Amino acid sequence: MNEARGLRADAQRNYEQLLAVARVVIEEQGTQASLRDIARRAGVGLGTLYRHFPTRDALLEALLRQGFDRLAASAESLLASAAPKAALLAWVDELSRGTTVYHGLPASLLATLHDEASPLHLSCTAMRAAGERLLRRAQDAGDVRPDLDGVDLFELVAAVGWAAEQSPRSAERRERLLALITDGLAS
Amino acid sequence: MNEARGLRADAQRNYEQLLAVARVVIEEQGTQASLRDIARRAGVGLGTLYRHFPTRDALLEALLRQGFDRLAASAESLLASAAPKAALLAWVDELSRGTTVYHGLPASLLATLHDEASPLHLSCTAMRAAGERLLRRAQDAGDVRPDLDGVDLFELVAAVGWAAEQSPRSAERRERLLALITDGLAS
DNA sequence: ACCTGAACACCGTTCAAGT
DNA sequence: ACCTGAACACCGTTCAAGT
């Protein structure tokens, strides 16, 4: 909540209002929501949105960072508990559910992963590294094929999330496809 | 090539020119290419494009139908040859490679599969049915998990194609992810 | 019959003018 | 220091006017 420190009072208010409205609009319309619409509904000029968030990615970043960090923390805590395979599967399921929060999120996830210049790249790779530790533990226990790495896992989870988005029965398809994948990665 | 029968000579020429140009532009820019750009480069008014192809889907349909039908025929011929598992894998690989022709094609494939009103729906489900026959043969031989169906397979192949599109090393990632999937579907 | 392109309602992005 | 909204260059889509 300190992200807006040092701003003039009106700027601070605008920043927070934009973020709150963006969350709602992007929930409704997906990551491709109209920026004009967000500014309009926030009661703010379009230039003000651009001043606070110079790119669409910067806006998404502000919305997503918390979730990324939460997933990384979750991986850490799972590392200290439960059977290796069960812990990995629980985390993968959490990650997969996380990709359903906004339409278009699986695409943002992979974009962030591949783009080192993205403001979210660090947060994203930290999460991936945390997941990779869970993965290695399961591999060492002989539960998961040993050649799988964190990028494979991320891309597969994102792919499943994306495919589910395209279906009229998203939730159902996501569970089905994820189960097919995770079953198949067992060794 | 009979699709344009019964048109006035100039209309016939425009139709063919639009299709040829659309193929090039969509190869360059993906399925979301600017329709204005296509019309412009075809030397034709924008209204003429809309007259021949009332929706973007109609244009894509004309570009894709041939490939769909070829894949269906390929499935038929593989059904009469080779080991069940090898035949299925060969077809899946062909399908997967097919999704790389245009950027955005995996999305169009799933849209077509799920939208019964799409002009390509029939062609798409015919292809899926042909693939499903290959799948069942491999399942009867005990080579593939028995609960998998054609929709699962389509969605997984499209998902892999999409994830590969998001990567800077598309070809490499497509092969890797497809191998992970197909390995995992063995029984 | 068919073609054309202006017109309309939207975008994202920039920036001069205001406070 | 920050905000505003007009301006610009694009979209997709429609349709009156032409041939």
Side-chain angles (χ1 to χ4, degrees):
Chain A
M1 297 297 139
N2 300 334
E3 302 149 300
R5 275 276 166 78
L7 291 182
R8 224 167 60 179
D10 56 343
Q12 169 99 27
R13 235 182 309 116
N14 285 337
Y15 178 91
E16 280 160 12
Q17 178 66 7
L18 275 167
L19 215 50
V21 169
R23 191 175 305 272
V24 171
V25 175
I26 291 177
E27 263 169 20
E28 282 174 18
Q29 308 180 10
T31 56
Q32 293 308 309
S34 157
L35 299 180
R36 243 189 191 79
D37 202 27
I38 293 173
R40 199 157 34 211
R41 286 166 66 169
V44 141
L46 191 46
T48 303
L49 187 152
Y50 274 91
R51 161 167 275 262
H52 288 291
F53 307 102
T55 66
R56 173 176 242 111
D57 244 41
L59 181 55
L60 275 176
E61 181 222 356
L63 293 178
L64 297 182
R65 185 183 297 281
Q66 195 180 354
F68 279 25
D69 294 345
R70 200 167 43 74
L71 271 160
S74 173
E76 294 295 340
S77 88
L78 279 164
L79 206 51
S81 82
K85 187 174 183 182
L88 177 63
L89 289 181
W91 188 78
V92 164
D93 192 60
E94 198 180 337
L95 175 61
S96 176
R97 283 175 199 278
T99 66
T100 68
V101 172
Y102 305 120
H103 196 274
L105 198 49
S108 299
L109 191 66
L110 289 194
T112 294
L113 183 68
H114 292 125
D115 175 17
E116 296 181 13
S118 158
L120 261 178
H121 184 72
L122 219 70
S123 198
C124 183
T125 53
M127 169 172 71
R128 191 205 55 188
E132 226 157 12
R133 303 240 295 277
L134 276 174
L135 173 59
R136 268 189 228 117
R137 191 170 64 131
Q139 287 169 324
D140 290 343
D143 292 330
V144 174
R145 58 184 286 167
D147 66 334
L148 196 76
D149 67 23
V151 173
D152 294 330
L153 193 60
F154 248 64
E155 290 185 344
L156 288 172
V157 169
V160 162
W162 173 82
E165 275 181 353
Q166 314 307 306
S167 168
R169 293 196 302 275
S170 301
E172 192 181 308
R173 296 312 293 161
R174 186 191 62 80
E175 288 189 40
R176 167 68 175 160
L177 296 178
L178 190 62
L180 287 170
I181 301 273
T182 53
D183 283 3
L185 297 179
S187 67
Chain B
M1 297 294 140
N2 299 334
E3 301 149 297
R5 275 276 168 76
L7 292 181
R8 225 167 60 179
D10 57 343
Q12 170 98 28
R13 236 183 309 118
N14 285 338
Y15 179 90
E16 281 159 13
Q17 179 66 7
L18 275 167
L19 216 49
V21 169
R23 180 162 273 120
V24 172
V25 175
I26 290 178
E27 262 168 20
E28 282 174 18
Q29 310 180 10
T31 56
Q32 293 308 309
S34 157
L35 299 180
R36 242 190 194 80
D37 203 28
I38 293 173
R40 198 158 32 211
R41 287 166 66 169
V44 140
L46 191 47
T48 303
L49 187 152
Y50 273 91
R51 161 167 278 262
H52 288 292
F53 306 102
T55 66
R56 172 175 242 113
D57 245 40
L59 181 55
L60 275 175
E61 181 221 355
L63 292 178
L64 297 182
R65 185 184 298 279
Q66 194 179 352
F68 279 25
D69 293 347
R70 200 168 42 74
L71 271 161
S74 173
E76 293 295 341
S77 87
L78 279 165
L79 206 51
S81 83
K85 187 175 183 181
L88 176 63
L89 288 182
W91 188 76
V92 164
D93 192 59
E94 198 180 337
L95 174 62
S96 177
R97 283 176 199 277
T99 66
T100 69
V101 174
Y102 305 120
H103 196 273
L105 198 51
S108 299
L109 191 67
L110 289 194
T112 294
L113 183 68
H114 292 124
D115 176 16
E116 296 182 14
S118 158
L120 261 178
H121 185 72
L122 220 70
S123 199
C124 182
T125 53
M127 169 172 73
R128 192 204 54 189
E132 226 157 11
R133 303 240 294 279
L134 277 174
L135 173 60
R136 267 189 229 114
R137 192 171 62 132
Q139 286 169 323
D140 289 345
D143 293 329
V144 174
R145 58 185 285 167
D147 66 333
L148 196 75
D149 67 24
V151 173
D152 295 329
L153 193 59
F154 249 64
E155 290 186 343
L156 288 172
V157 169
V160 162
W162 172 82
E165 275 180 354
Q166 314 307 305
S167 169
R169 295 197 300 276
S170 300
E172 191 181 309
R173 295 312 294 160
R174 186 191 63 80
E175 288 189 40
R176 167 68 175 158
L177 297 178
L178 190 63
L180 287 171
I181 300 273
T182 54
D183 283 3
L185 298 179
S187 66

